[in-house]
Structure formats: structure tokens, C-alpha cells
DNA sequence: GCGTAGATCGTCT
DNA sequence: GACGATCTACGCT
């Protein structure tokens, strides 16, 4: 009944796609078994102008080659000697931009996901796919899926409920303190208050804001390039 | 609840 | 030879 989004869905600026992917479903077929999750947290990486991006300053190596493909395919990389991270490539093949899938809500195949994660006891909220490394482990995603299309095959994206703006929390990205000015850019998107989000979301209204860690509390300047512009 | 350390290796300098 | 777009266990409050 629901088909993959058209390729033009992906061939837009990364921050637009990052927001649009919230609520979409991710379907993984492995060993003939179907695993399904709903995307609840994403981060945009803008490519050349973005110091946190693997394509910063036009960097291009065998590892990140998939970033320089047209939007709509996967970029999977290996970090910290033990974890994989899944990205959705965005824009056209000159940009090097992508969206990191940070967290998802398990919908189907939870037993298999728990098994992939090495869990014996019942999973607590966020324990199966709350975090980029956990998500990849739960869905058995590794470098073998680097470059595959999200429209066909073993890893698909399907449309989901559109998340209204007031349900979306926006803040700086996680784990990129080395990125200078880009570290403060508001490129992390999450469904506000969702239990599977990898870190706390801010209060619903600015008036209710209290000192707290998480999306929306970083004091650094929130400035990032507008789509199509460049920055030194 | 919070902060910190250690794991572990592909990749690029 | 250094360093991660991370996760977990552990110690302390």
C-alpha cells in the first residue's frame, strides 16, 4: 500500500530531509525476516561547509565515496572500532550531504532486534534502537549495506505520519565538539519526548525551560549556512 | 541520576 | 600514530 518516497524527496538540502524523515519507517529484511522501525531522531550533515561532516572541505576517500552519490542511497561507516552508523545521502552527487539516523522506535521484529543486540532480558525503552550504534546493531546494518538504494532491496524507507512542527525538538548535534562553529548549528531533529530518542528533549515551551542537558539547551550560536550558500 | 573510563580498529595524517 | 557522527559498566551522590 505504501511505496518508497520518490527520489526527489532525498534530493533536497540535508536539514530539510532530516526533518522530513521523522516518522518515516525503515524496513530491513535479513535472512528472510522483516524488521521495521519508525525514525524518531536524525541529524543533518551538510557536506563541504560543515566541519562535522565526513565530506568537510570536499574530502573524498574510499570510505566516504557513497556520500558523493545522488540522494536516496545509504552511507554506512564504522566508528570507534566497534559501531556502525547509518546515513541517508541527500542532495545531488556534488554536495556530500547526508542525514544520520540516530534513533528509531521498534515496530516489528523486536525479538530479532533483541537477539542482534545481545539482550537476554526484556528491552527497556530506547535499548533496542535508541542511538546510531544500537540502531545498526539491532537491524544488522554494516558496511555491506554501504551505497545501497533505500527504494529497493534489503533496506527500505517508507512514508509515515507527518510530524507537526510543534512536536519536533531541534538542537545541536551530538559528539562533534571538535567541529568548531559547526558544533553549535541546530541540525539535530527529534520527536519531542519520544521514549526512544537517544537523549532528552527540551521542555515543550520556552517558558517552562529549566537547566537541563539535551536538545535545545546548548548556548553556542545557532547559525548555519542556508541551503545553496557557502561559508569559508 | 550523573560523570567517567575503557573497549577496539579502520581510516587518514 | 592519533582519533573518532558510540556504548557500556561502574562508582559516586
Amino acid at each position: 500500500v505504501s511505496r518508497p518516497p520518490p527520489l526527489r524527496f532525498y534530493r533536497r538540502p540535508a536539514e530539510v530531509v532530516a526533518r522530513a524523515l521523522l516518522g518515516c519507517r525503515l524496513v530491513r529484511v535479513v535472512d528472510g525476516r522483516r524488521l521495521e522501525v519508525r525514525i524518531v531522531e536524525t541529524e543533518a550533515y551538510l557536506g563541504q561547509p560543515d566541519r562535522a561532516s565526513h565530506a568537510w572541505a570536499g574530502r573524498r576517500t574510499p570510505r566516504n565515496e557513497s556520500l558523493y552519490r545522488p540522494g536516496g542511497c545509504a552511507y554506512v561507516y564504522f566508528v570507534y572500532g566497534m559501531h556502525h552508523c547509518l546515513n541517508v545521502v541527500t542532495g545531488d552527487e556534488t554536495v556530500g550531504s547526508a542525514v544520520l539516523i540516530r534513533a528509531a522506535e521498534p515496530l516489528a521484529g523486536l525479538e530479532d532486534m533483541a537477539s542482534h543486540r545481545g539482550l537476554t532480558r526484556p528491552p527497556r525503552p530506547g535499548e533496542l534502537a535508541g542511538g546510531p550504534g544500537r540502531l545498526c546493531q539491532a537491524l544488522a546494518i554494516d558496511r555491506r549495506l554501504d551505497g545501497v538504494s533505500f527504494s529497493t532491496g534489503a533496506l527500505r524507507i517508507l512514508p509515515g505520519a507527518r510530524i507537526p512542527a510543534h512536536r519536533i525538538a531541534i538542537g545541536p548535534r551530538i559528539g562533534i565538539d571538535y567541529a568548531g562553529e559547526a558544533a553549535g548549528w541546530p541540525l539535530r531533529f527529534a520527536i519531542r519526548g519520544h521514549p526512544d530518542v537517544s537523549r532528552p528533549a527540551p521542555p515543550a515551551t520556552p517558558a517552562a525551560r529549566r537547566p537541563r542537558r539535551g536538545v535545545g539547551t546548548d548556548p553556542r550560536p545557532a547559525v548555519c549556512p542556508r541551503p545553496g550558500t557557502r561559508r569559508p
Side-chain angles (χ1 to χ4, degrees):
Chain A
V1 139
S2 59
R3 308 199 314 222
L7 287 178
R8 65 175 183 275
F9 174 90
Y10 302 102
R11 296 175 187 174
R12 297 181 289 168
E15 67 273 26
V16 174
V17 180
R19 189 197 177 292
L21 281 171
L22 294 179
C24 288
R25 291 167 293 153
L26 183 62
V27 176
R28 167 80 169 122
V29 176
V30 53
D31 295 331
R33 299 165 76 90
R34 187 169 174 282
L35 313 178
E36 181 171 342
V37 300
R38 181 184 309 284
I39 296 169
V40 300
E41 183 182 353
T42 59
E43 284 177 357
Y45 287 83
L46 306 187
Q48 186 159 331
D50 180 1
R51 193 166 180 179
S53 169
H54 289 174
W56 174 55
R59 282 162 192 240
R60 184 167 185 166
T61 68
R63 170 171 84 143
N64 70 7
E65 187 62 30
S66 297
L67 280 175
Y68 296 94
R69 289 162 63 78
C73 60
Y75 167 48
V76 181
Y77 68 91
F78 183 63
V79 275
Y80 294 112
M82 60 190 92
H83 298 296
H84 292 274
C85 290
L86 172 66
N87 288 256
V88 178
V89 176
T90 63
D92 66 45
E93 63 275 13
T94 68
V95 183
S97 64
V99 174
L100 172 70
I101 309 299
R102 277 198 60 88
E105 170 191 349
L107 296 177
L110 307 228
E111 306 260 322
D112 286 333
M113 293 186 210
S115 165
H116 293 154
R117 292 271 297 118
L119 298 178
T120 51
R121 55 195 167 86
R124 301 161 49 151
E127 203 168 15
L128 284 181
R134 291 167 173 169
L135 173 84
C136 284
Q137 190 177 25
L139 298 182
I141 291 168
D142 60 28
R143 283 284 285 175
R144 286 174 293 190
L145 289 173
D146 182 53
V148 303
S149 167
F150 282 107
S151 299
T152 60
L155 190 59
R156 292 170 181 253
I157 288 173
L158 298 176
R162 182 188 151 77
I163 310 300
H166 72 275
R167 301 275 334 276
I168 298 180
I170 303 177
R173 296 167 293 179
I174 303 298
I176 54 155
D177 290 346
Y178 59 85
E181 182 190 353
W185 294 348
L187 294 176
R188 178 179 176 227
F189 302 84
I191 297 181
R192 197 183 288 281
H194 194 288
D196 292 297
V197 166
S198 68
R199 307 211 184 181
T205 67
R209 181 165 297 183
R210 286 186 181 81
R212 181 192 291 209
R213 237 166 285 283
V215 188
T217 60
D218 196 296
R220 284 171 292 189
V223 177
C224 68
R226 295 248 56 90
T229 65
R230 283 167 221 276
R231 155 186 302 261

